[in-house]
Amino acid sequence: MIYFDSAATTLQKPASVPAAVAEAIRTMTTPGRGDHPAARMAAELMLRCRTEAAEFFDVPQPDNVILTSNATHGLNIAIRSLVAPGDTVVISGYEHNAVTRPLHGIGGVSSRIVNGRLFDREQMAEGFRKAVDGGVKAVICVHTSNVFGYTLPMDEIADICRRQGVPLIVDASQSAGIQPVSLRRWGAAYVAMPGHKGLYGPQGTGLLLCGEGQTAAPLISGGTGSLSRQQEMPDVLPDRLEAGTQNIHGAAGLAEGIRFVHGMGMENIARREAEIIRILAEGLKRKGGYQVFDDPAGNSSVLSVVPLQTPPETLAERLAEQGVAVRAGLHCAPLAHITAGTADTGTVRFSASVFNTPEEAEAVLELL
């Protein structure tokens, strides 16, 4: 199989990731649930995973790294911790349903949507300058669009939030492991990300990075292995947000995925993926018959196209029959398609990982 669907889930993993998962299954139980070697090994693993992530994403202390089941889990915690009915928030026009549905579920939330031309970062920054004021409860913004690979001007958006005193929540689902993500530099209240995409960890893993002083509201309550006599959830991180048995095996794989990315170097990974996407974009433009949404800066790992003669889903099915995996449709981000003008058709999305090769891109062009 030629796999170009890594924006959904990276299929090819470093060998160390499944090895770490298998070792954890064989040897570890749950932190805080026993004073025996299997429980202690699990506690040590969780601390290592938090420490690796804190160093990689510039988090002040490991306890502020929360292990979640995915980015959606983390975004729900972050949004419900800061936003209540009647509040006003600012979001970009490229948000995923992981942002828009929690806001809808709260009810009574007014969302100011900052639209803008694809890949026009100056216009997007100006839109946030106009939209963010003292009456805004939170800014919730995707770092990189999962549909178009459009990286928003997060440094500028973070500076606007800082000046206005408005908390910032960042969805780093498509950027973590590929582009620099820094909780400290952005001064973000929360940054959420999955483990199964650019970090090459297992499905069912994710991270929520919590800024200093954030008293997050737990989504679920229960046992934490600590302060068992009291009925309130502990008020300290990470226990406050990790009720129940954690995904130790997933954390073992995620820690190895972070080490892999660190060892490869994000710049090297981003360069490799951008090279492959450029081959696809330029080849499709030469062939004609496609509307190609590629970043003029040429540094994306995602490419969306609209075939002019064939429905996107049909093209994706035909490619799958030939052993090529892509994704077609709205990609769980209808707002992004409304903003870009592709809501009626959706797109075919090609997304690369470090395990793809230029030869695979050329083979797909030949099939097309």
Side-chain angles (χ1 to χ4, degrees):
M1 181 195 300
I2 297 177
Y3 188 80
F4 277 124
D5 196 21
S6 290
T9 299
T10 48
L11 177 62
Q12 299 99 332
K13 310 287 188 184
S16 60
V17 169
V21 173
E23 179 66 14
I25 289 173
R26 285 194 298 266
T27 62
M28 300 179 196
T29 57
T30 304
R33 276 72 163 183
D35 189 22
H36 48 75
R40 289 199 298 270
M41 287 175 65
E44 292 166 2
L45 165 68
M46 292 295 276
L47 178 58
R48 285 200 307 275
C49 185
R50 295 186 210 280
T51 302
E52 297 264 359
E55 293 174 355
F56 197 71
F57 296 112
D58 198 18
V59 181
Q61 55 189 14
D63 285 352
N64 285 38
V65 176
I66 308 303
L67 275 295
T68 62
S69 58
N70 45 53
T72 301
H73 180 188
L75 285 166
N76 271 266
I77 293 172
I79 290 168
R80 292 180 180 276
S81 295
L82 294 178
V83 181
D87 287 343
T88 297
V89 300
V90 174
I91 65 175
S92 83
Y94 295 92
E95 299 308 312
H96 190 278
N97 279 344
V99 167
T100 58
R101 281 180 171 172
L103 290 173
H104 178 79
I106 292 170
V109 176
S110 175
S111 296
R112 297 179 188 172
I113 302 174
V114 179
N115 294 311
R117 291 183 299 273
L118 266 175
F119 311 116
D120 190 334
R121 293 167 181 82
E122 290 184 6
Q123 186 189 55
M124 182 61 69
E126 183 59 28
F128 273 90
R129 289 189 192 96
K130 293 177 179 178
V132 180
D133 57 35
V136 170
K137 193 63 177 292
V139 169
I140 310 161
C141 188
V142 68
H143 186 195
T144 298
S145 166
N146 72 306
V147 180
F148 299 103
Y150 171 25
T151 297
L152 276 64
M154 193 54 62
D155 286 346
E156 290 88 342
I157 293 169
D159 185 61
I160 293 163
C161 292
R162 192 178 297 110
R163 291 173 183 271
Q164 292 289 345
V166 176
L168 172 64
I169 300 171
V170 180
D171 175 3
S173 294
Q174 295 302 148
S175 58
I178 304 169
Q179 299 166 279
V181 171
S182 171
L183 179 78
R184 196 192 310 259
R185 187 179 78 244
W186 292 337
Y190 300 98
V191 177
M193 63 189 68
H196 65 275
K197 297 187 183 186
L199 297 179
Y200 295 93
Q203 292 96 313
T205 62
L207 298 171
L208 178 65
L209 316 179
C210 301
E212 287 296 319
Q214 295 301 323
T215 55
L219 279 183
I220 59 173
S221 300
T224 60
S226 62
L227 302 174
S228 294
R229 290 185 182 276
Q230 72 178 41
Q231 288 304 289
E232 299 81 13
M233 285 295 289
D235 59 2
V236 295
L237 298 176
D239 294 18
R240 182 167 178 77
L241 300 178
E242 292 187 9
T245 299
Q246 298 109 317
N247 182 2
I248 301 300
H249 318 128
L254 178 55
E256 286 299 326
I258 293 173
R259 292 189 193 109
F260 169 77
V261 173
H262 183 71
M264 288 286 296
M266 281 194 303
E267 289 185 0
N268 295 326
I269 291 173
R271 189 182 306 113
R272 173 66 168 269
E273 294 177 0
E275 175 193 6
I276 292 163
I277 292 300
R278 277 197 300 273
I279 292 171
L280 289 168
E282 292 170 3
L284 289 171
K285 288 177 182 177
R286 286 195 303 270
K287 288 179 181 299
Y290 297 88
Q291 185 179 10
V292 180
F293 296 91
D294 62 324
D295 187 347
N299 57 6
S300 177
S301 62
V302 172
L303 177 69
S304 259
V305 304
V306 176
L308 302 182
Q309 304 298 327
T310 307
E313 289 82 0
T314 301
L315 180 60
E317 289 172 5
R318 291 177 178 171
L319 285 171
E321 290 168 359
Q322 298 297 319
V324 178
V326 297
R327 186 175 177 187
L330 298 181
H331 315 98
C332 300
L335 181 58
H337 288 278
I338 292 170
T339 302
T342 55
D344 289 341
T345 60
T347 63
V348 176
R349 185 185 67 188
F350 301 85
S351 51
S353 84
V354 74
F355 292 103
N356 288 119
T357 66
E359 290 76 18
E360 287 178 326
E362 296 288 359
V364 170
L365 289 172
E366 184 63 28
L367 278 174
L368 289 169

